[in-house]
Amino acid sequence: MNRPPRSGPTGEPALRTDVLTARRIVVKVGSSSLTTASGGLDSDRVDALVDVLSRSRTTDTEVVLVSSGAIAAGLAPLGLTERPRDLARQQAAACVGQGLLVARYTASFARHGLRVGQVLLTADDISRRAHYRNAYRALAQVLAMGAVPVVNENDTVATAEIRFGDNDRLAALVAHLVRADLLVLLSDVDGLYDGDPRRPGSRRLREIRGGQDLVGVEIGSAGSSGVGTGGMVTKVEAARIATDAGIPVVLTAARHAADALAGRETGTFFHRTGERSADHLLWLEHASSPRGTVRLTPPAARAVLQRRGPLLADGVTHADGDFVAGDPVELLDENGRVVARGLAGLDARELPRLQGRSTREVVHQDDLVPLVRPAPSGDGAPAPAPARVRVRIRTAAEYARAGTAPDRPGD
């Protein structure tokens, strides 16, 4: 249920406390908010955004900018009239456009005496644990030295198999990576609506406190610019990743960025639904690439879901894959359903002689993430956890199978 805006003592709408107290903020802006419809950067839009971010950045408030726009910025210089669908030309456009994008940000932030640090990531940098830690150290150092990190997917080298698909997911993962207090998603739509925002009668949802507030809500593609990669679905998925990790989210239009960062009740505010988890657990749940599967006995599956202890070899019936100790693996119940994810404590080649009869530890309990909730009685099939929506990096092939290509219009 969406509540009316709260009012302060003067009758004005109350400010959002979680926004006002945020000390590290990740702001994501989409291509359509930075470029013209035909491609090419809109300097006035970039400067307007930078003016807002620079005012929000103080001695005790840090800002990380996740910016789309590299491919869109490269269209006009290469004589392209629309975003290409083939990967090779997307990479070429990104190669030209990324330099233009960072040069524009560098000049714009320089007007406020601020330096810019470019950070380009691929899904590999998030899905591999060692790379994940390296990305954190790099971003932390850029912030510590007083620069503004400008993060984007490295479209020039990313292949179809290792792409994020959209920068909304990237922004949610970066928000957890840098231990942000707030994520702001800037779009070309001023919030989440209960239906198509272009349809008369559709109502903007002011607050989302959990999955129950999304029941019956039609969530579709949000943009119409033809230069971006996402849509409202990816923004809601990104909000779920962030809020599940204890990070509140504001979703609004880029033109309302100043109001959003001032704590005013613009757009849609997603309240945090979980607590901040250990870095490696969020990585494990949302960004890791499993290197194998381990099938469990019914008692072992129930114990894993109820977090009653580590997974031992005597609870394993079969293992597939060529994983080594430290690799992420998916844990399956006796019916082959994925019930959890964990970090292997043994190499795959060690398991055949141990499974079913050894008490050697296969996955430590601190390295386990249940992906479903156990049945109330402890028997029967587990059910999907209602309050935890898991979103992982999708490849281009997975988008194609789902019928939602990653290069559709939007942000």
Side-chain angles (χ1 to χ4, degrees), residues 49-88:
L49 173 65
V50 168
D51 289 345
V52 171
L53 298 182
S54 298
R55 288 195 297 269
S56 300
R57 186 186 175 282
T58 64
T59 54
D60 60 351
T61 302
E62 299 170 324
V63 174
V64 176
L65 176 61
V66 177
S67 177
S68 301
I71 293 177
L75 298 182
L78 291 177
L80 299 172
T81 58
E82 62 183 11
R83 182 187 176 95
R85 299 186 67 86
D86 61 288
L87 181 60

Side-chain angles (χ1 to χ4, degrees), residues 169-344:
R169 290 183 187 83
L170 173 60
L173 292 168
V174 167
H176 190 278
L177 175 68
V178 301
R179 299 161 192 171
D181 304 304
L182 177 70
L183 171 62
V184 178
L185 299 173
L186 300 178
S187 175
D188 52 1
V189 177
D190 64 343
L192 175 64
Y193 283 72
D194 59 3
D196 189 332
R198 296 165 292 193
R199 189 174 62 205
S202 294
R203 184 171 56 94
R204 178 168 59 87
L205 304 178
R206 298 179 182 274
E207 293 183 326
I208 301 295
R209 295 183 177 272
Q212 69 278 1
D213 289 345
L214 295 173
V215 175
V217 175
E218 298 176 21
I219 304 174
S221 178
S224 57
S225 65
V227 297
T229 61
M232 194 55 68
V233 169
T234 66
K235 289 166 181 57
V236 172
E237 290 175 342
R240 284 169 166 167
I241 292 175
T243 56
D244 192 44
I247 304 169
V249 177
V250 178
L251 168 61
T252 192
R255 64 183 181 276
H256 298 318
D259 286 339
L261 289 167
R264 300 187 184 97
E265 292 205 357
T266 183
T268 302
F269 185 75
F270 293 79
H271 292 264
R272 57 171 65 90
T273 57
E275 298 298 326
R276 191 177 297 273
S277 59
D279 284 350
H280 79 288
L281 292 183
L282 184 121
W283 164 82
L284 180 62
E285 181 174 4
H286 292 293
S288 64
S289 298
R291 305 303 171 90
T293 61
V294 177
R295 187 166 297 204
L296 314 182
T297 64
R302 287 194 294 271
V304 162
L305 292 178
Q306 295 165 4
R307 300 187 67 87
R308 293 204 306 258
L311 170 64
L312 304 179
D314 60 7
V316 173
T317 62
H318 186 71
D320 280 316
D322 190 26
F323 56 87
V324 298
D327 281 347
V329 293
E330 288 189 327
L331 307 182
L332 315 179
D333 66 11
E334 68 275 19
N335 297 312
R337 290 172 291 201
V338 178
V339 296
R341 190 172 290 178
L343 295 177

Side-chain angles (χ1 to χ4, degrees), residues 69-124:
I71 293 177
L75 298 182
L78 291 177
L80 299 172
T81 58
E82 62 183 11
R83 182 187 176 95
R85 299 186 67 86
D86 61 288
L87 181 60
R89 289 196 301 166
Q90 287 179 17
Q91 290 173 322
C95 183
V96 172
Q98 184 63 37
L100 297 173
L101 182 66
V102 173
R104 182 63 251 173
Y105 276 129
T106 299
S108 192
F109 274 106
R111 296 178 300 124
H112 299 273
L114 296 173
R115 297 178 301 277
V116 163
Q118 177 180 252
V119 181
L120 297 177
L121 299 173
T122 67
D124 216 30

